[in-house]
């Protein structure tokens, strides 16, 4: 990696700004690379998840949960907070840990997001900044508003436009419609043939 960084710097393909502006200078960059060469680089790559379902299961444990569930708290007083945890290095063995309340709160707050950060973000046309405008554009593209050619049009009658229908809005009250279930298509039973009596 360091060799490629050096090659990219020599080819002027690296851009630096702000506090890193000085790394444009070849001598300062060589000094920074020399410091990095003295470090022990530990490369560890986890094995990939088995399937998309495993990824969702893994992420799902973190998106809608707090750092520690109430059921794991054993006791708390002015001097100690005791809670259950699992020691994955020793066969998932259950253990108890006691911490000073200040330390417990410090560790708990590490798992809470700072102001302005969201645990779940939407991207693309569902991103918060442009969702309404883009969904409206998509709906306009998907919903036909052109006149329907009918037999009446052949008799030189002016074509009629279909009323605009927004599938996400109630035509009566204007409220938002949400699909809660999709019913199967109604099938009429075929009449049974009459028995032949001749």
């Amino acid at each position: 990696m360091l060799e490629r960084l050096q090659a990219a710097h020599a080819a002027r393909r690296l851009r630096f700004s702000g506090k890193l502006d000085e790394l444009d200078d070849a001598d300062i960059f060589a000094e920074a690379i020399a410091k990095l060469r003295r470090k022990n680089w530990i490369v560890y790559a986890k094995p990939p998840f088995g399937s998309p379902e495993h990824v969702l299961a893994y992420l799902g444990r973190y998106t809608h949960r707090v750092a520690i569930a109430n059921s794991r708290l054993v006791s708390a007083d002015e001097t100690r907070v005791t809670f259950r945890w699992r020691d994955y290095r020793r066969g998932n063995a259950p253990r108890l840990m006691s911490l000073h309340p200040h330390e417990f709160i410090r560790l708990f707050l590490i798992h809470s997001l700072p102001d302005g950060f969201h645990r779940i973000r939407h991207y693309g046309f569902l991103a918060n900044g442009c969702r309404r405008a883009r969904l409206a554009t998509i709906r306009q593209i998907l919903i036909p508003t052109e006149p329907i050619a009918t037999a009446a049009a052949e008799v030189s009658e002016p074509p009629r436009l279909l009323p605009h229908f927004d599938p996400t809005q109630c035509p009566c009250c204007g409220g938002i419609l949400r699909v809660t279930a999709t019913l199967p298509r109604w099938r009429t039973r075929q009449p049974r043939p009459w028995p032949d009596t001749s």
Side-chain angles (χ1 to χ4, degrees), residues 68 71-74 81-98:
I68 186 168
S71 58
R72 289 178 51 201
L73 296 174
V74 176
V81 175
T82 305
F83 59 94
R84 288 187 200 90
W85 66 286
R86 292 201 170 271
D87 191 348
Y88 296 111
R89 292 181 184 171
R90 290 177 176 75
N92 211 15
R95 305 228 186 262
L96 292 178
M97 182 180 287
S98 292

Side-chain angles (χ1 to χ4, degrees), residues 6-190:
Q6 280 181 305
H9 190 272
R12 309 293 294 162
R13 288 198 317 253
L14 296 180
R15 302 270 182 268
F16 300 102
S17 60
K19 293 179 181 176
L20 300 176
D21 237 355
E22 59 188 20
L23 289 174
D24 271 334
D25 182 76
D27 294 333
I28 294 174
F29 185 79
E31 227 176 89
I33 291 289
K35 282 182 189 173
L36 291 173
R37 284 194 190 284
R38 289 192 290 272
K39 286 187 177 234
N40 287 327
W41 287 64
I42 299 166
V43 179
Y44 171 70
K46 280 188 172 185
F49 285 103
S51 66
E53 289 79 17
H54 285 111
V55 176
L56 282 174
Y58 175 78
L59 293 175
R61 290 198 291 271
Y62 295 97
T63 55
H64 291 82
R65 279 178 38 183
V66 290
I68 186 168
N70 287 343
S71 58
R72 289 178 51 201
L73 296 174
V74 176
S75 65
D77 57 31
E78 295 80 20
T79 59
R80 288 271 170 245
V81 175
T82 305
F83 59 94
R84 288 187 200 90
W85 66 286
R86 292 201 170 271
D87 191 348
Y88 296 111
R89 292 181 184 171
R90 290 177 176 75
N92 211 15
R95 305 228 186 262
L96 292 178
M97 182 180 287
S98 292
L99 297 173
H100 189 275
H102 292 182
E103 178 63 10
F104 178 81
I105 291 170
R106 185 188 73 79
L107 290 173
F108 182 84
L109 290 178
I110 287 172
H111 292 84
S112 62
L113 293 172
D115 286 344
F117 283 83
H118 299 282
R119 201 178 288 231
I120 300 173
R121 287 184 176 270
H122 294 286
Y123 292 93
F125 67 89
L126 290 177
N128 283 338
C130 61
R131 181 184 317 169
R132 281 200 177 133
R134 293 209 177 140
L135 283 176
T137 304
I138 290 168
R139 287 186 186 113
Q140 282 179 343
I141 292 168
L142 292 177
I143 297 170
T145 55
E146 296 166 4
I148 300 273
T150 60
E154 295 168 10
V155 190
S156 75
E157 233 181 72
R160 291 181 308 175
L161 292 175
L162 282 177
H164 177 72
F165 174 68
D166 184 353
T168 63
Q169 191 174 22
C170 176
C172 298
C173 69
I176 295 173
L177 288 177
R178 288 193 173 82
V179 176
T180 57
T182 305
L183 299 175
R185 222 177 256 243
W186 183 264
R187 292 183 186 165
T188 56
R189 291 174 69 185
Q190 295 293 328

